[in-house]
Amino acid sequence: MLNLSFDKHPDFVVRLEHPFNAGPPPRLLNQSYITPTNLFFVRSHGDVPEVDVDSYRLEINGQVSRPLNLSLGDLKDNFEHVNVSATLQCAGNRREELMAVESIPNELEWGVDAISHASWTGVRLRDVLAEAGVGSDADSHLHVEFGGLDDVQRHNKIFHYGGSIPLSKGCSSEVILAYEMNDEPLTPVHGFPLRAIVPGYIGARSVKWLDRITVQDEPSQNYFQSRAYRLFAPHMRPETVEWEEGVMLGEMNVTSVICSHDENERIASGNVSVEGYAMAGGRRIARVDVSCDGGVTWVQAELTNEAGCWGWTLWKVNFDLKPGRCQLVVRAMDTSANTQPQDVSQVWNFKGYMNNAWHRVNIEVVDD
Amino acid sequence: MLNLSFDKHPDFVVRLEHPFNAGPPPRLLNQSYITPTNLFFVRSHGDVPEVDVDSYRLEINGQVSRPLNLSLGDLKDNFEHVNVSATLQCAGNRREELMAVESIPNELEWGVDAISHASWTGVRLRDVLAEAGVGSDADSHLHVEFGGLDDVQRHNKIFHYGGSIPLSKGCSSEVILAYEMNDEPLTPVHGFPLRAIVPGYIGARSVKWLDRITVQDEPSQNYFQSRAYRLFAPHMRPETVEWEEGVMLGEMNVTSVICSHDENERIASGNVSVEGYAMAGGRRIARVDVSCDGGVTWVQAELTNEAGCWGWTLWKVNFDLKPGRCQLVVRAMDTSANTQPQDVSQVWNFKGYMNNAWHRVNIEVVDD
């Protein structure tokens, strides 16, 4: 394991279980469209591996006609360099609100901070797959498994982290093997020397410390694909569940969050700017509505950037607030008219994934 | 105008305004995965044009390097024939429920029947565009406009129906120019001799009687793209709205519907099969939950077919019902964990589009 000089920002909010699970305070999240690397949220499932770049190799195998074994130099020298601006979000983002409905043991209590945006540079996965003899076939039923160098431990077994995406997604132009983040080499906690970037999908599929790509008939059998990161109905409980009946997560749902204010914050009355982010997986945000009276009336927020479908959308709105308690609420709609659920209890699930309920922040407005 | 021998099924439910706006009774909708052609819902915006197939030409123009002018024979002889199994749904499906919240004048009062599924045969749009010199570029910002031969009249102007889709969608393998529906030539009401089929998008973009394809910088300026088929927030009203601020509809949201029972139906107590359809635009249905107590408790429905992402998913569930009033409710989730809104008033909009609230049917269970 690496003796880490983790470039941690003093403002990081460290989550339970592991020093490398951390996110920035919500207030810093939407200060810039691109999250500075030292503020980018970190979610790792084991320790950060120490990788010797000279001996590092990426293996491409499985259902390929030409297996490949590439150094980092081979990747950079033989494939077109591309840049993708993409937001990563952990499937557990906003679990804290679910935990307030009913306890969710043994999971990280993420607030709204398990999300960040970066500019990623690398090579297209489909170009590498093409070199291995795998064609772009949108109708394919094959899957692409990513394997990482990190050792993880679950249920008394030690194994490498892994996950997979459908080949059809893997052949999309936005999926890359990234060696740079915000124009600098990846830092150790973000996957040095190479990670998959799968825009629109839960962060768990953007496998870090990537050293193996396998083309195969089925989704990955790795614990983090076959058992974790599955979504169950609100009435299901782990004691009685059939694990394979959970929905294997991939694309993300539509969500929006207030970043500018904390729960129970006291603010001065008058003109108040309420701000935050919205995100819709592979679709665009069409509209963000904000309420300052708990959802009775709504105003449409200004979208302060023109995001592609792989990045978050930042938004803001001004209210003239009178003294008293008030509840700020945000809800977004994507371009397919999908919306967020009003009530967090409707999306509660025992693993605490994919909470996209209306985001509510109660504040106290006092005389200036 | 054609002197029509419209092959109308006696069970068709004809909607206001026009004899060619009709759908089958809900109970017939999910009797088979493929809707028989004579039951397939019809939504036209003008009269059905009479097309002489010998003189018919499809023109491909605009930002193309080789404009084309093709007969139906040219299309069939020069491009690969492909088959796509796809559900079409009108953006106004389920408007009836929105109208119960607040009136929506001058729009068709669709029940749950503005949806059907067919097997479509034709040629890929992208193959035709490639012949015209237009490449498949997923990052393109161009649009593909479809023009129809039908005359429509709105605001005292007569013009041809039209609409558009992004070129990136147009270059997807599922978008075709269809000349057959369920293995027979298109019937006049369904667009003979040629129509666009845009799976995953609102039916309005699957332009019938297609005679022109234009590649252009902007979405179509046709009334049915630039003004109609836009989605506004619940608090907006037509008198005060900026029309260009509405969301231009394309992809469809996640929805589900009970087909097996009518509102206020009396049924015998005991074992009851509740059935219906679900649909999620270009995503798959992950789960369908059904309640027989107004949403207090839920059971997971059986998905009775393995649909691709372009077709609907049929579902069924059995309840043992006791005498009394009860409310059946269905809600679906797609593979991105998007869900349906609980309350129809949250998605009310003055044009009455994209209602995907939980579907509720009140029935009376009586002693057998």
Side-chain angles (χ1 to χ4, degrees), chain A residues 139 173 231-234 236 247 251-254 282-283 286-287 300 331 333 336-338 342 346 354 358, chain B residues 139 173 231-234 236 247 251-254 282-283 286-287 300 331 333 336-338 342 346 354 358:
Chain A
D139 300 322
S173 60
L231 183 60
F232 294 89
M236 293 180 170
V247 176
E251 287 182 297
M252 290 182 289
N253 54 15
V254 57
R283 289 171 172 165
R287 200 179 74 218
Q300 193 166 342
R331 65 179 186 194
M333 186 180 82
S336 73
N338 274 314
Q342 183 171 351
Q346 294 296 340
M354 305 301 278
W358 294 3
Chain B
D139 301 321
S173 60
L231 182 59
F232 294 89
M236 292 180 172
V247 175
E251 287 181 297
M252 291 183 289
N253 53 16
V254 56
R283 290 172 171 164
R287 201 180 73 219
Q300 192 165 343
R331 65 178 186 194
M333 186 180 80
S336 74
N338 274 311
Q342 182 171 351
Q346 294 296 341
M354 306 299 280
W358 294 4

Side-chain angles (χ1 to χ4, degrees), chain A residues 42-102:
Chain A
V42 177
R43 173 68 171 116
S44 301
H45 297 79
D47 291 327
V48 175
E50 184 171 13
V51 182
D52 169 30
V53 73
D54 292 328
S55 60
Y56 167 83
R57 291 291 183 281
L58 173 69
E59 193 178 348
I60 294 97
N61 59 24
Q63 296 190 30
V64 301
S65 53
R66 286 185 300 274
L68 304 176
N69 191 289
L70 305 172
S71 69
L72 197 62
D74 293 336
L75 263 185
K76 292 184 181 178
D77 292 346
N78 292 293
F79 299 95
E80 185 187 351
H81 297 193
V82 294
N83 184 270
V84 172
S85 186
T87 300
L88 297 188
Q89 180 180 223
C90 179
N93 195 27
R94 303 181 57 194
R95 183 179 285 126
E96 182 180 71
E97 298 159 63
L98 298 172
M99 287 172 158
V101 174
E102 184 180 328

Side-chain angles (χ1 to χ4, degrees), chain A residues 210-361:
Chain A
L210 180 72
D211 78 330
R212 182 180 50 77
I213 296 173
T214 303
V215 178
Q216 55 190 42
D217 284 323
E218 301 288 336
S220 172
Q221 289 301 309
N222 190 284
Y223 174 89
F224 293 97
Q225 180 91 28
S226 64
R227 186 163 167 117
Y229 295 113
R230 282 192 186 258
L231 183 60
F232 294 89
H235 66 273
M236 293 180 170
R237 293 295 177 276
E239 299 78 37
T240 53
V241 87
E242 299 290 333
W243 284 87
E244 61 274 20
E245 288 185 0
V247 176
M248 203 177 266
L249 293 172
E251 287 182 297
M252 290 182 289
N253 54 15
V254 57
T255 192
S256 59
V257 157
I258 296 164
C259 294
S260 54
H261 293 80
D262 296 326
E263 182 72 9
N264 291 324
E265 185 176 336
R266 284 165 62 102
I267 63 165
S269 62
N271 191 275
V272 174
S273 179
V274 177
E275 303 175 24
Y277 65 79
M279 178 75 192
R283 289 171 172 165
R284 287 169 190 263
I285 292 293
R287 200 179 74 218
V288 174
D289 297 330
V290 187
S291 170
C292 64
D293 55 12
V296 179
T297 62
W298 299 85
V299 294
Q300 193 166 342
E302 178 193 355
L303 308 184
T304 57
N305 65 293
E306 272 304 315
C309 52
W310 309 122
W312 59 7
T313 295
L314 304 184
W315 56 265
K316 68 174 177 184
V317 66
N318 285 298
F319 288 112
D320 184 23
L321 294 183
K322 304 279 179 287
R325 298 279 305 171
C326 83
Q327 186 181 65
L328 303 172
V329 193
V330 64
R331 65 179 186 194
M333 186 180 82
D334 71 16
T335 47
S336 73
N338 274 314
T339 53
Q340 301 178 226
Q342 183 171 351
D343 180 3
V344 68
S345 69
Q346 294 296 340
V347 287
W348 187 92
N349 61 95
F350 71 79
K351 289 284 287 180
Y353 294 133
M354 305 301 278
N355 174 21
N356 71 333
W358 294 3
H359 187 230
R360 300 169 192 270
V361 177

Side-chain angles (χ1 to χ4, degrees), chain A residues 164-189:
Chain A
S164 67
I165 60 174
L167 177 61
S168 55
K169 174 69 178 180
C171 290
S172 302
S173 60
E174 71 273 7
V175 178
I176 67 169
L177 310 177
Y179 45 79
E180 284 185 7
M181 175 181 183
N182 296 338
D183 302 320
E184 300 282 350
L186 289 174
T187 59
V189 290

